[in-house]
Amino acid sequence: MTTSTDIASLETRYMCSCQSRGVLPNKQVLSALFKAKLKKARHEVSSLVILLDDIKDTDFHPLLDLLMEVDLSQIDAVDIINRSVCILSWEYLLPLLRASSRKLRVVDLQDILFGKDFLLYVLPLLDLAQRGLPCQVLNLRSSHFRKLNMIGNFTRMHTLNLDFSASLTNFREDCFTCMPNLKFLSLCETRVTNLWTTTAALAKLPSLVELRFQNFLQDDEARKHPASDRRNDYWDSDHTEITIHDEAPSVSGENIMYRLFNEENQYLNNTDMNLDVSSEAEDSSDDSEVDFSSQDRETSFMELLPDAPPGWEDLVNLQNEVSFGPMEMQDDEEPFFRLSDTRLPYITPKKCISHNPSPICFEKFYREYMIASLPNLKILDNLPIRKVDREKAELIFSQKFERLPYKRKNKESVVSILQNRETRANHARGLSPRRKSQYFYSRSLSAAKVGSVAWPALRPLSIMGTTARDDRRSYRPRQFEYHPSDASLMVFGTLDGEVIVINHESEKVVSYIPSLGAMNSVLGLCWLKNYPSKVIAGSDNGSLRLYDIRLMPPTATGSHHSSGSVMFDDFDQLTSVHVNSTDELFLASGYSKHVALYDISSGRRLQVFDDMHREHINVVKFAHHSPSIFATSSFDRDVKLWDLRQKPNQPCYTALSSRGNVMVCFSPDDQYLLVSAVDNEVKQLLAVDGRLHLDFSITSTGSSQNYTRSYYMNGRDYVISGSCDEHVVRICCAQTGRRLKDVSLEGKGSGASMFVQSLRGDPFRDFSMSVLAAYIRPSSNSEIVKVNLLASSDQDKGYSYTRQSQPLFGSGG
């Protein structure tokens, strides 16, 4: 049996190593060895605490020699922490962290404390995430990760703290697959928002029992004791006794962390930490996992949520210290927490104040969704999960959410569905009346695929060759429409007045129609159904034209083919055009109270209907099957149904919204009207009389500028909804209103937030859509992003943001 090296011998070897390299021994290292000897003499846990603040590059080699001998010494644990700006180079830091493979206990790295030079150390930080660490507790508070992708070996880690990581928005699909023993995870005051991808990632943590996205504290306790007092009182208690087990200490990993934070007299006051999310790397790849953030200015978390609803600011400004509760860990395999522990009374959220919440906490039914999706979780946001809580969560989940599309209750594999279909087909050759239709199996296949994909495939449209002179031409899209009968075609109009028809499958231009100075932004587009080569385009300067794409070349030739277009009388400040079901008439509306009716065959404007609303009319839509029925939506909060046969002086009915209406459309069978008002007010009305059928109850942001648009997907089975102040598309069942999932859009580079400007369901492909996404950064153009819910981002590399082909809508200004 190998004899352990005593600490005095370690100290002697360290001195010899320094002497052989011609450097003076580091005083902090000598002090740490001395304290370790004292603890060993008192039969306490002998921990070697290395403070990075005092370690210079010249100290690296002797310290590395010391740490490489720790595993065979009498030292019980190694803790490596930093208090302020670290002067040690990152290329030296990583070898130090990995020198002790068995006794490394706590690694405390707070990226925001490394100053501006942190930008030089991105690759080592990624190396840490991709190769892993043998520590038990990892503190990466205020880290610069954008998408967490910790795929390295973290098998010994039981506690991970990512609080105040203000750039963290999402998780990679496999980011937690190498953390089988992680029990405690804290993500307070991050920018994580998506319930679906978050729970899918967390579900891969089999040992997770405590999770925090916010810190709930009792109101009276929070007022009596500041965070620093609570922390110090705790460390004066009897909970600091530690006994070392083979792989894990016998106290909460977070307790170890905070004990170390309070050792060595004064330590960093994390409550005064400032967050910074400003971008310095606009051209960085979307695949970047680290945010390059300047630290020249102070940015509050409320700036990350500029349109937060009333009451958020009071919660967010409570910058109290976040810490796991004083609960001890057991040496055996028992769960970490015993809910009957008297130190952990159940407090309802109504009696508590939320501190440092992440945006995900403000999603409706956040707590119930988390509890229902993570059955092994025992504590969420410092509140124990009781049996009654889990029962309530399951009930609310069943009422408000869909686990699988089309009311499927259990996940099935695609193979088993196909086998069942063939088996039933063979048994049903006698035309059994109970035989299931192909429609049933196609829905089951879709449900199986959607249920197996947490991160759907996203792909911005790209193109190869657009103009005769410049193959790298970029565009600024403003509106788009799928073709009604050709599944491969799409038309989009630009802010520069161009109309472009593309094959969105091959990503090649079919027809290119220049603006010729006659059009500004193209805001209205509508295909003719019975003449599939023709499309009507309207711009905000009132110009209206009909084009035949068969007569338009795929590239800009410098000459205009007037024979392929028909001009109509202008409609000033136009915003919307729509053709009726027989391709005889079309309507135009805009920033006025009027609607104009045009005859397509003659090119004449037949009539202008004055004062149809009290404020301007955003959208006008014909019914799909009734050529005289149309609907209008206005900022006066009214939606009105009209019939041309009645010479629309009076509407058939008027339906009222609580905010200004942005959008209205008919369901494909004309049974419903889908109405979208400002700030996520989305309702489905019965088209026959305007009665409310469904209110989708989407959370509002409090912004009067959050313009919401909604459309149908999969026929009229599902509704997709997005808003111009948010980067998420919400998918709801059109029959029950239950939420299926949210799809988050992520732009290219740090600080490149994307927002939903418009969207359409693909009329030929189930669970597919396209989204016109705009960047908040004015130097970046909008993009049309194709979303496929049936394919994952890993399965289809074509649906990723890392394509090497030239983007159709360039990121340049």
Side-chain angles (χ1 to χ4, degrees):
M1 182 176 179
T2 304
T3 304
S4 299
T5 304
D6 61 70
I7 301 177
S9 299
L10 274 183
E11 184 177 10
T12 301
R13 294 180 185 180
Y14 172 70
M15 300 284 286
C16 292
S17 178
C18 291
Q19 184 177 6
S20 67
R21 288 178 168 82
V23 298
L24 293 175
N26 185 287
K27 293 181 180 180
Q28 192 275 319
V29 176
L30 292 177
S31 174
L33 288 167
F34 176 74
K35 292 179 180 179
K37 283 192 294 185
L38 289 181
K39 293 176 182 178
K40 178 62 70 174
R42 295 198 298 260
H43 303 287
E44 298 175 359
V45 173
S46 178
S47 58
L48 181 67
V49 181
I50 303 298
L51 299 178
L52 296 177
D53 313 59
D54 303 317
I55 305 299
K56 302 182 294 294
D57 288 355
T58 55
D59 300 317
F60 168 71
H61 290 289
L63 180 57
L64 181 64
D65 293 340
L66 171 65
L67 293 177
M68 291 180 69
E69 296 190 46
V70 164
D71 285 351
L72 299 178
S73 72
Q74 292 181 352
I75 288 179
D76 298 313
V78 175
D79 303 323
I80 300 178
I81 64 178
N82 76 280
R83 295 175 173 178
S84 56
V85 176
C86 179
I87 58 178
L88 181 68
S89 299
W90 272 81
E91 60 264 30
Y92 290 152
L93 176 60
L94 292 177
L96 293 181
L97 296 179
R98 297 191 173 108
S100 174
S101 60
R102 290 178 46 231
K103 295 187 178 179
L104 183 63
R105 184 175 61 173
V106 174
V107 172
D108 168 25
L109 303 175
Q110 302 190 42
D111 298 341
I112 202 170
L113 305 178
F114 284 82
K116 294 180 181 179
D117 286 344
F118 170 75
L119 296 176
L120 302 176
Y121 305 125
V122 171
L123 292 179
L125 180 61
L126 294 179
D127 182 81
L128 181 150
Q130 293 174 5
R131 292 180 55 195
L133 280 179
C135 63
Q136 299 175 30
V137 177
L138 180 58
N139 179 21
L140 289 176
R141 289 163 57 104
S142 305
S143 70
H144 294 252
F145 286 109
R146 293 181 58 233
K147 304 176 194 174
L148 196 63
N149 194 30
M150 301 179 70
I151 60 176
N153 188 344
F154 295 94
T155 54
R156 296 184 67 232
M157 187 166 66
H158 56 69
T159 300
L160 176 61
N161 190 325
L162 291 164
D163 291 342
F164 307 109
S165 297
S167 299
L168 182 59
T169 60
N170 210 338
F171 305 99
R172 296 282 186 182
E173 188 166 0
D174 298 324
C175 68
F176 292 128
T177 54
C178 297
M179 303 180 188
N181 297 307
L182 188 69
K183 298 175 183 283
F184 309 91
L185 178 60
S186 190
L187 291 155
C188 297
E189 203 158 310
T190 64
R191 296 180 68 188
V192 175
T193 60
N194 193 305
L195 288 170
W196 287 261
T197 55
T198 298
T199 53
L202 296 176
K204 298 182 180 180
L205 293 170
S207 302
L208 185 67
V209 291
E210 179 170 357
L211 173 66
R212 278 204 319 240
F213 282 99
Q214 60 188 330
N215 188 25
F216 267 123
L217 295 175
Q218 286 182 260
D219 188 12
D220 54 351
E221 179 182 348
R223 294 183 182 183
K224 287 180 182 178
H225 303 289
S228 58
D229 293 343
R230 292 195 304 274
R231 184 177 62 191
N232 293 332
D233 290 345
Y234 178 75
W235 290 119
D236 290 337
S237 69
D238 296 330
H239 295 291
T240 58
E241 295 299 323
I242 302 177
T243 59
I244 292 295
H245 192 257
D246 288 340
E247 291 296 329
S250 299
V251 299
S252 164
E254 189 78 0
N255 293 346
I256 297 174
M257 186 180 295
Y258 283 111
R259 181 183 181 187
L260 293 174
F261 288 171
N262 289 278
E263 284 185 354
E264 309 287 340
N265 303 320
Q266 296 179 354
Y267 194 47
L268 175 69
N269 184 358
N270 289 310
T271 61
D272 294 331
M273 189 172 301
N274 294 315
L275 305 178
D276 196 323
V277 296
S278 62
S279 171
E280 285 188 353
E282 295 184 356
D283 296 329
S284 61
S285 167
D286 176 75
D287 244 11
S288 171
E289 295 157 6
V290 178
D291 185 29
F292 300 81
S293 298
S294 167
Q295 298 177 27
D296 292 336
R297 71 178 185 90
E298 297 180 1
T299 304
S300 70
F301 188 66
M302 284 306 297
E303 292 183 51
L304 303 179
L305 303 170
D307 299 310
W312 281 33
E313 185 170 359
D314 294 338
L315 298 178
V316 175
N317 286 337
L318 292 171
Q319 299 288 332
N320 290 283
E321 182 61 53
V322 180
S323 62
F324 283 96
M327 294 164 286
E328 299 183 357
M329 293 162 45
Q330 307 300 318
D331 287 341
D332 53 22
E333 296 297 321
E334 291 296 318
F336 272 66
F337 308 111
R338 288 182 168 79
L339 298 184
S340 59
D341 194 324
T342 57
R343 291 171 295 175
L344 196 67
Y346 180 77
I347 307 295
T348 61
K350 292 181 180 179
K351 300 178 182 178
C352 298
I353 296 178
S354 170
H355 295 246
N356 311 110
S358 293
I360 195 173
C361 301
F362 298 99
E363 287 290 325
K364 280 190 178 180
F365 310 110
Y366 147 78
R367 182 172 177 85
E368 289 79 11
Y369 188 95
M370 283 289 180
I371 293 173
S373 301
L374 301 172
N376 295 327
L377 202 63
K378 292 182 170 55
I379 295 178
L380 178 61
D381 301 332
N382 287 359
L383 298 177
I385 299 172
R386 306 168 299 172
K387 181 180 178 181
V388 64
D389 299 325
R390 200 164 290 282
E391 292 172 349
K392 176 186 175 184
E394 290 291 343
L395 177 62
I396 290 179
F397 189 99
S398 66
Q399 294 173 342
K400 304 299 181 180
F401 300 97
E402 280 192 345
R403 290 191 188 275
L404 294 169
Y406 296 117
K407 303 180 183 179
R408 301 302 192 265
K409 298 190 179 298
N410 300 309
K411 286 186 178 181
E412 296 182 85
S413 71
V414 172
V415 174
S416 66
I417 294 172
L418 293 175
Q419 289 176 340
N420 290 336
R421 184 179 66 178
E422 295 303 317
T423 301
R424 291 180 181 272
N426 292 333
H427 287 305
R429 301 230 182 247
L431 299 178
S432 168
R434 298 180 63 84
R435 181 169 58 118
K436 294 180 179 177
S437 67
Q438 289 297 109
Y439 191 52
F440 171 86
Y441 287 107
S442 65
R443 284 186 165 187
S444 295
L445 286 170
S446 294
K449 292 177 180 179
V450 172
S452 64
V453 174
W455 286 261
L458 305 177
R459 175 170 62 90
L461 278 178
S462 301
I463 195 167
M464 295 176 293
T466 60
T467 67
R469 297 179 180 178
D470 184 7
D471 286 342
R472 298 179 63 83
R473 174 67 187 277
S474 62
Y475 298 104
R476 302 192 298 159
R478 180 57 184 87
Q479 189 59 276
F480 75 98
E481 294 287 348
Y482 283 101
H483 196 279
S485 57
D486 190 332
S488 65
L489 295 186
M490 175 189 290
V491 62
F492 68 89
T494 72
L495 291 170
D496 302 306
E498 302 154 305
V499 176
I500 301 161
V501 179
I502 61 170
N503 184 317
H504 61 87
E505 296 174 349
S506 65
E507 300 182 331
K508 293 184 179 180
V509 171
V510 175
S511 297
Y512 174 80
I513 305 166
S515 64
L516 298 177
M519 303 183 73
N520 293 328
S521 298
V522 177
L523 300 182
L525 288 168
C526 191
W527 291 97
L528 274 62
K529 304 171 188 62
N530 301 313
Y531 302 93
S533 67
K534 296 183 179 181
V535 60
I536 291 178
S539 68
D540 59 1
N541 69 349
S543 175
L544 277 165
R545 295 192 182 187
L546 181 145
Y547 296 103
D548 191 332
I549 64 174
R550 297 173 302 177
L551 304 178
M552 299 297 172
T555 59
T557 61
S559 62
H560 177 55
H561 294 259
S562 59
S563 60
S565 66
V566 176
M567 294 185 63
F568 298 91
D569 291 342
D570 288 357
F571 186 92
D572 290 339
Q573 296 181 302
L574 180 145
T575 60
S576 171
V577 297
H578 203 246
V579 179
N580 73 349
S581 59
T582 59
D583 290 346
E584 297 172 330
L585 307 170
F586 77 88
L587 292 166
S589 67
Y591 288 105
S592 70
K593 305 173 186 178
H594 319 307
V595 171
L597 178 68
Y598 293 82
D599 180 80
I600 294 177
S601 61
S602 66
R604 293 187 305 109
R605 183 167 61 193
L606 300 179
Q607 191 173 355
V608 175
F609 305 114
D610 295 322
D611 298 322
M612 302 189 83
H613 283 268
R614 290 167 287 127
E615 294 186 30
H616 74 261
I617 299 168
N618 282 318
V619 171
V620 58
K621 292 285 186 181
F622 270 112
H624 293 283
H625 304 285
S626 300
S628 61
I629 300 294
F630 67 96
T632 54
S633 65
S634 167
F635 267 124
D636 65 5
R637 301 190 299 164
D638 287 342
V639 169
K640 298 182 179 182
L641 190 81
W642 308 85
D643 191 339
L644 290 174
R645 294 169 296 185
Q646 299 177 359
K647 295 184 179 181
N649 298 319
Q650 293 293 328
C652 301
Y653 61 78
T654 299
L656 181 66
S657 301
S658 64
R659 307 182 187 100
N661 293 303
V662 180
M663 185 67 216
V664 66
C665 66
F666 287 85
S667 62
D669 60 1
D670 289 341
Q671 185 173 346
Y672 301 110
L673 278 178
L674 185 62
V675 180
S676 307
V678 171
D679 203 17
N680 294 324
E681 182 181 342
V682 182
K683 297 179 180 179
Q684 187 169 252
L685 311 178
L686 294 175
V688 65
D689 56 11
R691 285 181 298 158
L692 178 66
H693 176 251
L694 275 178
D695 185 340
F696 292 94
S697 301
I698 300 174
T699 304
S700 61
T701 66
S703 169
S704 61
Q705 307 299 314
N706 190 30
Y707 302 121
T708 302
R709 295 169 176 86
S710 306
Y711 283 87
Y712 287 96
M713 181 180 70
N714 293 21
R716 67 170 175 88
D717 294 342
Y718 285 89
V719 167
I720 54 176
S721 181
S723 300
C724 68
D725 280 355
E726 299 177 271
H727 70 289
V728 63
V729 175
R730 299 172 176 91
I731 306 169
C732 302
C733 176
Q735 311 308 314
T736 64
R738 294 198 291 260
R739 189 89 65 88
L740 176 62
K741 66 169 54 182
D742 291 355
V743 176
S744 298
L745 303 177
E746 298 170 4
K748 294 177 288 190
S750 61
S753 298
M754 300 186 79
F755 302 95
V756 179
Q757 194 167 13
S758 190
L759 72 171
R760 301 288 189 277
D762 190 320
F764 302 97
R765 299 166 183 85
D766 284 351
F767 294 106
S768 294
M769 71 183 90
S770 289
V771 181
L772 177 58
Y775 285 91
I776 191 174
R777 196 170 54 215
S779 60
S780 297
N781 290 344
S782 301
E783 291 181 326
I784 295 178
V785 181
K786 295 180 68 174
V787 181
N788 183 1
L789 300 174
L790 302 179
S792 72
S793 55
D794 289 338
Q795 290 172 346
D796 187 349
K797 295 303 180 184
Y799 275 73
S800 70
Y801 269 76
T802 58
R803 292 179 60 88
Q804 300 301 312
S805 55
Q806 172 70 15
L808 174 60
F809 315 118
S811 58

